[in-house]
């Protein structure tokens, strides 16, 4: 099972790299993150935005990911937006202006539930 994380904004690529490094500090997530750049389809110009893919094979990894993302997001500037797609395809888009800090981890956990 995998979660896909996409960031938007001018610095999304650098932020995604920083997020991958951040998550690699979690014991349960170490070695389970990769940054992928999907190949463009024939009718598209250029490649799609990069996506951070997190393997959630370890029991409880979704909870660890939600908690770690919550802390990481709170340390970003307010304009950072994030989209998390859980293993079952459920997706949540979080704009820091839209989600109160206490609810952030719960929103992410909901998207990452199996």
């Amino acid at each position: 099972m995998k979660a896909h994380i996409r960031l938007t904004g001018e610095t999304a690529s650098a932020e995604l790299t920083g997020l991958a490094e951040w998550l690699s500090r979690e014991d349960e997530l170490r070695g389970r993150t990769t940054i992928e750049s999907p190949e463009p389809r024939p009718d598209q110009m250029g490649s799609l935005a990069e996506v951070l893919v997190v393997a959630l094979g370890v029991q409880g990894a979704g909870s660890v990911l939600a908690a770690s993302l919550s802390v990481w997001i709170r340390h970003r500037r307010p304009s950072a937006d994030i989209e998390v797609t859980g293993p079952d395809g459920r997706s949540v888009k979080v704009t820091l202006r839209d989600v109160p800090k206490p609810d952030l981890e719960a929103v992410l956990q909901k998207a990452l539930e199996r």
Side-chain angles (χ1 to χ4, degrees):
M1 305 210 123
K2 296 178 182 179
H4 295 83
I5 301 168
R6 183 181 317 274
L7 303 179
T8 59
E10 294 176 11
T11 61
S13 182
E15 293 281 341
L16 201 62
T17 300
L19 176 57
E21 291 170 1
W22 173 277
L23 294 176
S24 72
R25 294 183 191 118
E26 296 285 352
D27 288 339
E28 293 88 345
L29 302 176
R30 189 171 296 120
R32 297 182 169 274
T33 62
T34 57
I35 295 177
E36 296 180 356
S37 295
E39 290 292 322
R41 293 188 311 246
D43 61 335
Q44 290 178 324
M45 293 183 62
S47 66
L48 300 174
E50 294 177 324
V51 175
L52 178 64
V53 179
V54 182
L56 299 176
V58 176
Q59 186 173 9
S63 295
V64 171
L65 178 58
S68 192
L69 277 174
S70 176
V71 172
W72 184 82
I73 289 169
R74 285 188 297 231
H75 287 90
R76 304 279 68 83
R77 19 174 238 275
S79 62
D81 297 334
I82 185 170
E83 179 180 356
V84 179
T85 304
D88 65 355
R90 277 192 285 185
S91 182
V92 63
K93 292 181 183 179
V94 178
T95 301
L96 295 180
R97 296 170 300 277
D98 296 340
V99 179
K101 287 181 182 179
D103 298 336
L104 185 57
E105 187 173 341
V107 168
L108 293 169
Q109 180 66 39
K110 185 81 170 166
L112 294 168
E113 288 177 353
R114 293 179 189 208

